[in-house]
Amino acid sequence: MTMLNRFSPSALPQTALKNPEIRLLDHLVKDRGGDRSRRGTLSHHIVKVARLGGYLARAADPPPGNTVIWRGLSRLTDIDLVYGYAVSLLQERSPGANSFHCSRHQEI
């Protein structure tokens, strides 16, 4: 993922992430000011993954590396799993209570 980001930063985020993961990232990691034209790119979403892993994304910082992206992906997976568990509990109690769709779970 790191090399793909460095080779083709303006690619679509679907190159490396699934649509539900992109929506979850957009919900969890708020956009900073910056360049609005980059918001739909792979580079923008890789930085969001890296920010979950502890990357600070300051102006003078180098691009995120493998370790911080791995940490971010690990955290994103954990959040996705917990979300899926919570949705299944809510679904048992009150069907139709939530309409957010996540990568491993059916839309409710």
Side-chain angles (χ1 to χ4, degrees):
M1 192 178 279
T2 305
M3 292 301 125
L4 183 60
N5 181 38
R6 291 181 186 170
F7 177 72
S8 183
S10 61
L12 292 174
Q14 289 84 357
T15 307
L17 300 165
K18 297 175 187 169
N19 284 330
E21 292 170 330
I22 293 168
R23 285 194 301 270
L24 188 57
L25 272 174
D26 288 340
H27 182 72
L28 291 172
V29 183
K30 300 302 178 202
D31 290 328
R32 292 187 173 172
D35 187 6
R36 291 184 184 269
S37 65
R38 286 190 44 227
R39 293 213 172 146
T41 64
L42 176 63
S43 175
H44 180 70
H45 285 85
I46 295 292
V47 169
K48 284 187 172 197
V49 169
R51 286 178 58 200
L52 280 177
Y55 182 67
L56 298 177
R58 297 174 294 203
D61 286 346
N66 292 329
T67 303
V68 75
I69 289 176
W70 174 78
R71 286 182 195 145
L73 282 172
S74 177
R75 180 171 278 178
L76 182 62
T77 301
D78 292 344
I79 292 168
D80 187 28
L81 290 171
V82 169
Y83 176 79
Y85 180 69
V87 165
S88 66
L89 287 177
L90 285 175
Q91 191 175 26
E92 290 173 8
R93 292 183 183 175
S94 59
N98 195 345
S99 63
F100 191 76
H101 178 75
C102 212
S103 60
R104 292 175 185 79
H105 316 288
Q106 303 246 341
E107 189 168 32
I108 306 172

